[in-house]
Amino acid sequence: MEPVFVLPRALAAAVRPADLDAARAQMGFSLAWHIVLACLGVGLPLLTLLVEWWGWRTQDPSCRLLARRWARAMGVLFAVGAVSGTILSFELGLLWPGLMGTYGQVIGLPFAMEGVAFFIEAIFLGIYLYAWDKLSPRLHMLTGVPIVVAGVASAFFVVCANAWMNQPRGFTLRDGKVVHVDPWAAMFNPATPPQTTHMILAALMVASFLTASVYAVALLRGRQDRYHRLGFTVPLALGAIVAPAQLVVGDWAARFVAHYQPVKLAAMEGVYHTGSHVPLTLGGIAGRGGLQYGLEIPNGLSLLVGFSPSTVIKGLEEVPPGDRPPVTGVHIAFDLMVGCGMFLIAVGVWLLVLALRYRRRPGPWLEGTGRLLRIFLALGALTGLAAVVALECGWTVTEEGRQPWVVVGLMRVHDAVNVAPGLRIGLWLVLAVYALMTVATVYVLRLLTRERPVPVAPQESDVEEYPIV
């Protein structure tokens, strides 16, 4: 099938390389910044509801105080995420009119449904935050359920649109024009199940491990009261549960790529030549005809893909050089993603071992100054960074791995970009805006950590002295 060129070839050829690079850099930076907040919007409401429910069931003041403070942080992050998400929606139209002008009618449905989910989340978040003392505990928790559902739904619908770019479906090309559009078929394309599941689990991991890392730092600084121990163990436990499931889903997603996007798999693993008995290469950079300076595991990739050393893996030689993704960046990003994921699983296993150990001992959980405990807390403090790195690397693999296509097999990136000059100015403007948002967000969150907490109930006055984290 021939690529669709929405813009005349003469105009497409007139796009300055610097402007194209600026558009890609702006979109990539905006997505990398927003995706962390989006993950917090998916996972933090679930964490907040969990500790609120547990505090209501056990009458634990520390849990209820955690819920209140996480809810306030959730409100701040939601507001900032709404701003960055709005910027992204404008960038889609301003930077990539070729894509939206041709295929907007195909992928408009998930974006519209994401908007509905966003409004539902905003409405119930307002109720949840401002009706805390005006509703019964059970009814108040019920108002938080739509926030969790809407957050997950928002992530699902947005990733559906991205999955469509990897597996375009739901339309017919006739004389270079899109006809017979089926938005539902487009949204539920073959890439949707593995990609959306992978993203939602990643969001839960980022929210869980980022939250746990904050309290791990506090515990290392000596704040070993019940409030901080719960603030560390509850999100870490959720992350430890999700991480092994993500390993299984990641394997599913990789097998999908091997079947539907063999060129992307070849870039991920640095395979240049088609054949069997293909090794799995850890690390390395692209060289002449293959990866260099990497550690090879004989037959490893063939075994992972087809459970047999004789499994044939297609190499980059199957496509022209101009259709190949950047191997070094995609391969290193993939290795970093997997490495960070294994680190997070290892920390989760250690948490399980400690939990079993402390169950047989009297005394508070995770209290002490032993070397092993401090090492564990130090690793717990690194889990937030590891989860974010894995997230960003995963999206790098997804986006860079399909280059030079913006819609695989149909439209190249340089045919989708805005041909107007001056895109570099927009890049610097966006960088300035995001710098201001970053400073403002950190400042407000730090203010929330410094102010004295409001007592949840008279019997909970003993937790007033806890510093907010």
Side-chain angles (χ1 to χ4, degrees):
M1 183 179 296
E2 289 295 325
V4 177
F5 298 102
V6 180
L7 303 171
R9 289 181 180 270
L11 289 178
V15 177
R16 296 181 180 181
D19 286 331
L20 175 59
D21 292 340
R24 296 181 66 185
Q26 180 177 335
M27 195 72 188
F29 178 82
S30 301
L31 280 169
W33 200 95
H34 175 75
I35 196 173
V36 178
L37 291 184
C39 289
L40 291 171
V42 173
L44 194 54
L46 177 60
L47 283 171
T48 304
L49 275 185
L50 284 175
V51 294
E52 184 184 4
W53 170 79
W54 188 250
W56 169 71
R57 180 175 179 178
T58 63
Q59 295 301 306
D60 188 330
S62 297
C63 281
R64 299 170 71 179
L65 189 58
L66 275 173
R68 287 207 171 202
R69 293 172 179 173
W70 288 356
R72 297 180 68 184
M74 184 170 64
V76 173
L77 295 172
F78 178 84
V80 179
V83 175
S84 61
T86 303
I87 293 174
L88 278 171
S89 66
F90 279 105
E91 286 177 342
L92 277 174
L94 293 175
L95 297 179
W96 312 104
L99 170 65
M100 301 309 296
T102 302
Y103 296 110
Q105 58 183 318
V106 182
I107 58 175
L109 178 62
F111 286 123
M113 297 183 73
E114 192 277 336
V116 174
F118 170 81
F119 283 115
I120 292 175
E121 185 177 6
I123 292 169
F124 281 94
L125 179 61
I127 297 173
Y128 186 79
L129 290 176
Y130 294 106
W132 202 292
D133 299 316
K134 299 176 176 62
L135 299 174
S136 67
R138 182 174 299 179
L139 186 58
H140 182 261
M141 284 185 287
L142 288 177
T143 65
V145 174
I147 304 175
V148 177
V149 175
V152 173
S154 293
F156 175 83
F157 292 133
V158 169
V159 177
C160 281
N162 185 271
W164 176 87
M165 296 179 185
N166 289 302
Q167 290 294 309
R169 297 289 192 279
F171 64 97
T172 302
L173 285 177
R174 180 175 297 169
D175 298 327
K177 295 183 179 180
V178 173
V179 297
H180 303 306
V181 175
D182 184 350
W184 293 103
M187 189 167 74
F188 293 101
N189 60 81
T192 294
Q195 202 167 319
T196 54
T197 307
H198 198 46
M199 183 63 229
I200 291 170
L201 293 181
L204 294 176
M205 290 175 64
V206 168
S208 299
F209 287 118
L210 262 181
T211 305
S213 65
V214 174
Y215 289 89
V217 173
L219 289 169
L220 285 170
R221 291 177 177 176
R223 301 175 185 175
Q224 295 187 351
D225 47 65
R226 177 169 175 77
Y227 168 79
H228 289 93
R229 292 196 302 271
L230 285 172
F232 173 65
T233 55
V234 171
L236 189 67
L238 178 61
I241 293 171
V242 175
Q246 182 70 302
L247 180 65
V248 176
V249 173
D251 179 72
W252 173 29
R255 294 182 187 282
F256 174 88
V257 170
H259 181 72
Y260 286 91
Q261 293 180 283
V263 176
K264 179 185 286 189
L265 178 71
M268 289 162 53
E269 300 293 354
V271 179
Y272 282 75
H273 304 291
T274 302
S276 61
H277 300 273
V278 179
L280 179 68
T281 305
L282 305 179
I285 59 175
R288 292 184 177 180
L291 292 175
Q292 297 179 349
Y293 313 113
L295 175 64
E296 290 190 354
I297 301 176
N299 302 322
L301 185 57
S302 292
L303 286 169
L304 286 175
V305 172
F307 304 107
S308 171
S310 60
T311 302
V312 176
I313 306 296
K314 292 184 179 180
L316 293 170
E317 66 182 6
E318 297 285 334
V319 296
D323 292 345
R324 299 174 186 175
V327 176
T328 299
V330 174
H331 175 66
I332 292 177
F334 182 72
D335 281 0
L336 278 174
M337 179 188 68
V338 175
C340 289
M342 299 306 295
F343 166 74
L344 295 173
I345 292 175
V347 174
V349 171
W350 196 345
L351 175 66
L352 176 61
V353 172
L354 285 177
L356 294 175
R357 178 183 178 184
Y358 274 81
R359 281 186 62 185
R360 302 172 184 174
R361 292 187 177 186
W365 163 250
L366 286 184
E367 186 176 57
T369 58
R371 175 183 291 183
L372 285 178
L373 180 59
R374 292 191 65 82
I375 292 175
F376 173 69
L377 292 175
L379 293 178
L382 292 175
T383 56
L385 176 62
V388 172
V389 170
L391 172 73
E392 301 289 3
C393 287
W395 270 104
T396 298
V397 172
T398 300
E399 302 305 300
E400 290 292 323
R402 71 161 179 261
Q403 297 300 310
W405 305 100
V406 65
V407 181
V408 172
L410 298 178
M411 179 179 285
R412 295 177 183 269
V413 174
H414 65 73
D415 295 312
V417 72
N418 194 332
V419 298
L423 295 184
R424 286 169 288 179
I425 299 175
L427 171 62
W428 291 111
L429 179 61
V430 165
L431 290 176
V433 170
Y434 276 98
L436 289 174
M437 284 201 301
T438 301
V439 172
T441 303
V442 173
Y443 176 74
V444 173
L445 290 177
R446 286 182 65 84
L447 283 181
L448 292 179
T449 68
R450 290 175 179 175
E451 67 181 27
R452 293 184 62 81
V454 178
V456 177
Q459 70 271 20
E460 296 168 10
S461 58
D462 60 317
V463 300
E464 287 189 67
E465 73 276 14
Y466 293 168
I468 306 177
V469 175

